[in-house]
Amino acid sequence: MSVLDGIGVVGAGGEGRAVAAWLAARDLPVHLYTRDPGAVGEMVRRREIVASGTLSGRFPLRAVTGDPAGLAGRAVVLVATVTTAYPEVAARLAPYLSAGQVVVLFSSKLCGSVEFAHALAGAGAPHVDVVETDALFAARPCGTGGVTVLGTKGWNLVSGSTSGAVERHAGLLREWFPMLEVARNPVERGLHDFGAVAHVPIALANLGAIDRAEELLFYVEGVSSRTIALLERTEAEFAAVAQAYGARLLPMTEVLDRYYGCPATTLLDALRTVKPYRTIAAPTSLDHRFLTEDIRSTLVPLQALARCAGVATPMVDAAITIMSVLSGEDFRRTGRTLRRLAWDGLGHDGILRRLRAGDRETDRAA
């Protein structure tokens, strides 16, 4: 199989549509798969996607369908769904995957490639490489036929579930997405997700307004100097866990500058400078993915990794506890546990050995 056989994009939310448009704009053969074809009715009818904003144009799609069987013929399968759907998505894809294919996850949170690969194996799929990056676009669906791209990140990291996954596929991914840089390991990649650092502290600082469904610009009106204090404490815990697993985090101000170009000296100024963030509204429910997805798929595994390494994370612990009480869900049980990564029982040294084995091969590839 080769990319000439087509590229599968799974998921038709804002990120999935933006990824499909980005690749189709480069004359690549894109096949879009969604469990709800009715939500993309215009794309199904016209077999094209209409993009506006920083990416603009009408781009042809080879197919738009709800049938995953066609993925059997695609060398590359890009998954742009919410992380909480990974077990379901892996089960749906598993019967149609074959050795030699690669699955690329977008916005996979912390160690998403490890979880997805384990879920595929549990669903009976043959071994395929699974690699991951963050969301590369600030994008919103537009009707049933298009996408509005508010911004495209100028930098991000890529990692993988196995020692050779990035080595085998980084070249192709950088060709399609030149903003990508190889991470030391999936912990480094996952903890550089700015949204995972920022969403929960900002939401908790505005808990009453969100619970009352009040209108609020999340990054503009929802932040203050005191909110920034919460963010910086959370960032420090992310950095400590990263260091414990052989990784290093860039400061959030530098990450935002690399994303969108906002050379501010303080985090508060940076948040108010990032153009794509100016119009993002706050959630109108405590069940919004800004809270539930980041807690389940970043904070829960971060806390588990921290405990293995003996790193204290009081801010992360408090966020998980508060949201578990408010939602009536034990996120430490339902989130991305070490068992879902197949890392339970390994301990800090065992996890480090797996990550370091990946580092050696990634370093050779870079």
Side-chain angles (χ1 to χ4, degrees):
M1 288 180 290
S2 75
V3 296
L4 297 179
D5 298 314
I7 301 164
V9 176
V10 179
E15 183 72 5
R17 295 187 192 194
V19 168
W22 176 273
L23 295 174
R26 283 150 179 76
D27 297 320
L28 291 166
V30 176
H31 299 246
L32 182 65
Y33 297 86
T34 172
R35 64 180 178 180
D36 184 11
V40 290
E42 282 296 301
M43 286 188 230
V44 172
R45 188 168 66 86
R46 298 177 180 272
R47 285 207 301 179
E48 71 172 10
I49 184 167
V50 180
S52 60
T54 59
L55 175 63
S56 182
R58 307 177 77 95
F59 306 111
L61 300 173
R62 293 293 178 89
V64 184
T65 178
D67 184 1
L71 293 170
R74 314 296 161 223
V76 181
V77 178
L78 311 178
V79 176
T81 68
V82 293
T83 58
T84 48
Y86 278 2
E88 175 190 349
V89 174
R92 285 175 60 85
L93 300 189
Y96 307 108
L97 297 178
S98 57
Q101 288 178 287
V102 56
V103 174
V104 184
L105 308 175
F106 288 80
S107 193
S108 59
K109 306 300 177 184
L110 180 55
C111 298
S113 60
V114 179
E115 181 195 22
F116 201 90
H118 185 52
L120 283 176
H127 173 76
V128 297
D129 285 334
V130 182
V131 297
E132 62 174 289
T133 186
D134 193 5
L136 300 182
F137 306 93
R140 299 290 179 268
C142 183
T144 66
V147 61
T148 301
V149 182
L150 304 173
T152 301
K153 290 177 180 175
W155 173 86
N156 224 293
L157 294 172
V158 60
S159 188
S161 64
T162 63
S163 58
V166 174
E167 180 179 6
R168 286 185 283 272
H169 306 290
L172 178 63
L173 291 175
R174 283 168 158 174
E175 181 181 330
W176 292 349
F177 305 102
M179 68 283 281
L180 292 181
E181 177 182 318
V182 175
R184 288 179 175 85
N185 57 48
V187 172
E188 182 173 75
R189 197 228 62 78
L191 294 182
H192 268 100
D193 180 345
F194 175 77
V197 180
H199 288 163
V200 175
I202 295 175
L204 290 176
N206 294 275
L207 194 62
I210 291 172
D211 200 28
R212 292 188 295 270
E214 295 176 3
E215 291 186 3
L216 181 76
L217 292 175
F218 192 70
Y219 290 109
V220 177
E221 299 169 329
V223 296
S224 66
S225 58
R226 295 198 177 193
T227 312
I228 296 300
L230 295 177
L231 288 176
E232 290 175 343
R233 285 288 297 275
T234 304
E235 177 188 29
E237 293 180 9
F238 273 53
V241 174
Q243 184 176 13
Y245 288 92
R248 182 182 68 87
L249 293 196
L250 298 172
M252 285 189 288
T253 50
E254 185 174 344
V255 169
L256 288 174
D257 188 28
R258 291 190 180 203
Y259 277 3
Y260 298 117
C262 56
T265 57
T266 70
L267 183 55
L268 184 60
D269 288 342
L271 284 172
R272 292 174 173 172
T273 304
V274 176
K275 187 175 180 180
Y277 288 178
R278 294 176 187 170
T279 58
I280 294 179
T284 55
S285 166
L286 297 180
D287 295 323
H288 192 276
R289 68 177 181 84
F290 270 15
L291 288 167
T292 58
E293 186 178 21
D294 285 309
I295 291 172
R296 291 189 186 108
S297 301
T298 296
L299 299 193
V300 166
L302 181 144
Q303 183 187 61
L305 290 172
R307 288 177 173 175
C308 282
V311 175
T313 55
M315 287 292 299
V316 169
D317 298 350
I320 297 172
T321 298
I322 290 169
M323 282 308 304
S324 292
V325 171
L326 293 175
S327 67
E329 177 181 342
D330 182 0
F331 288 117
R332 292 180 178 87
R333 181 180 60 82
T334 62
R336 185 176 285 167
T337 62
L338 293 183
R339 182 176 182 180
R340 286 171 60 172
L341 300 176
W343 286 355
D344 52 322
L346 290 181
H348 180 238
D349 289 342
I351 295 171
L352 267 178
R353 281 193 294 272
R354 291 201 180 183
L355 293 173
R356 285 170 177 165
D359 282 349
R360 289 194 291 273
E361 294 202 17
T362 298
D363 287 344
R364 290 199 297 271

